[in-house]
Short mmCIF file of all heavy atoms in Angstrom, two decimals:
data_model
loop_
_atom_site.label_atom_id
_atom_site.label_comp_id
_atom_site.label_asym_id
_atom_site.label_seq_id
_atom_site.Cartn_x
_atom_site.Cartn_y
_atom_site.Cartn_z
N VAL A 126 172.00 -23.21 -41.54
CA VAL A 126 171.52 -21.89 -41.13
C VAL A 126 170.00 -21.87 -41.20
O VAL A 126 169.42 -22.49 -42.11
CB VAL A 126 172.12 -20.81 -42.07
CG1 VAL A 126 171.65 -19.43 -41.67
CG2 VAL A 126 173.63 -20.88 -42.06
N SER A 127 169.39 -21.17 -40.26
CA SER A 127 167.93 -21.03 -40.26
C SER A 127 167.53 -19.58 -40.06
O SER A 127 168.24 -18.83 -39.38
CB SER A 127 167.33 -21.84 -39.10
OG SER A 127 167.73 -23.20 -39.16
N ILE A 128 166.42 -19.22 -40.65
CA ILE A 128 165.77 -17.94 -40.34
C ILE A 128 164.37 -18.29 -39.87
O ILE A 128 163.65 -19.05 -40.57
CB ILE A 128 165.74 -16.97 -41.54
CG1 ILE A 128 167.17 -16.50 -41.86
CG2 ILE A 128 164.83 -15.76 -41.23
CD1 ILE A 128 167.28 -15.63 -43.09
N HIS A 129 164.04 -17.80 -38.67
CA HIS A 129 162.76 -18.20 -38.07
C HIS A 129 162.04 -17.01 -37.46
O HIS A 129 162.68 -15.97 -37.18
CB HIS A 129 163.00 -19.27 -37.00
CG HIS A 129 163.84 -18.78 -35.86
ND1 HIS A 129 163.30 -18.33 -34.69
CD2 HIS A 129 165.19 -18.70 -35.72
CE1 HIS A 129 164.29 -17.97 -33.87
NE2 HIS A 129 165.44 -18.18 -34.48
N TYR A 130 160.73 -17.17 -37.24
CA TYR A 130 159.99 -16.15 -36.49
C TYR A 130 160.50 -16.17 -35.06
O TYR A 130 160.80 -17.24 -34.52
CB TYR A 130 158.50 -16.47 -36.50
CG TYR A 130 157.76 -16.04 -37.74
CD1 TYR A 130 157.21 -16.99 -38.60
CD2 TYR A 130 157.62 -14.70 -38.07
CE1 TYR A 130 156.53 -16.61 -39.75
CE2 TYR A 130 156.93 -14.30 -39.22
CZ TYR A 130 156.39 -15.26 -40.05
OH TYR A 130 155.72 -14.87 -41.18
N VAL A 131 160.60 -15.01 -34.46
CA VAL A 131 161.02 -14.94 -33.06
C VAL A 131 159.79 -15.10 -32.17
O VAL A 131 158.76 -14.45 -32.40
CB VAL A 131 161.72 -13.60 -32.75
CG1 VAL A 131 162.06 -13.48 -31.27
CG2 VAL A 131 163.00 -13.50 -33.57
N THR A 132 159.91 -16.00 -31.21
CA THR A 132 158.85 -16.17 -30.20
C THR A 132 159.51 -16.03 -28.82
O THR A 132 160.73 -15.90 -28.73
CB THR A 132 158.21 -17.57 -30.30
OG1 THR A 132 159.27 -18.54 -30.11
CG2 THR A 132 157.57 -17.79 -31.67
N ALA A 133 158.71 -16.11 -27.79
CA ALA A 133 159.25 -15.89 -26.44
C ALA A 133 160.33 -16.93 -26.11
O ALA A 133 161.32 -16.63 -25.45
CB ALA A 133 158.13 -15.94 -25.42
N GLU A 134 160.16 -18.15 -26.65
CA GLU A 134 161.17 -19.19 -26.38
C GLU A 134 162.33 -19.04 -27.37
O GLU A 134 162.11 -18.93 -28.58
CB GLU A 134 160.52 -20.58 -26.53
CG GLU A 134 161.44 -21.72 -26.12
CD GLU A 134 160.84 -23.09 -26.44
OE1 GLU A 134 159.62 -23.14 -26.69
OE2 GLU A 134 161.60 -24.08 -26.49
N VAL A 135 163.54 -19.02 -26.88
CA VAL A 135 164.72 -18.74 -27.72
C VAL A 135 164.89 -19.79 -28.83
O VAL A 135 164.79 -21.00 -28.59
CB VAL A 135 165.99 -18.70 -26.84
CG1 VAL A 135 167.24 -18.55 -27.70
CG2 VAL A 135 165.92 -17.55 -25.85
N ASP A 136 165.09 -19.30 -30.05
CA ASP A 136 165.39 -20.17 -31.21
C ASP A 136 164.32 -21.24 -31.43
O ASP A 136 164.62 -22.33 -31.92
CB ASP A 136 166.76 -20.86 -31.03
CG ASP A 136 167.90 -19.84 -30.99
OD1 ASP A 136 167.73 -18.73 -31.53
OD2 ASP A 136 168.94 -20.16 -30.39
N ALA A 137 163.06 -20.90 -31.13
CA ALA A 137 162.02 -21.94 -31.20
C ALA A 137 160.87 -21.59 -32.14
O ALA A 137 159.97 -22.38 -32.33
CB ALA A 137 161.47 -22.19 -29.80
N GLY A 138 160.89 -20.43 -32.73
CA GLY A 138 159.76 -20.03 -33.59
C GLY A 138 159.74 -20.80 -34.91
O GLY A 138 160.72 -21.47 -35.27
#
Side-chain angles (χ1 to χ4, degrees):
V126 180
S127 305
I128 291 175
H129 62 97
Y130 279 114
V131 176
T132 58
E134 187 188 344
V135 174
D136 296 336

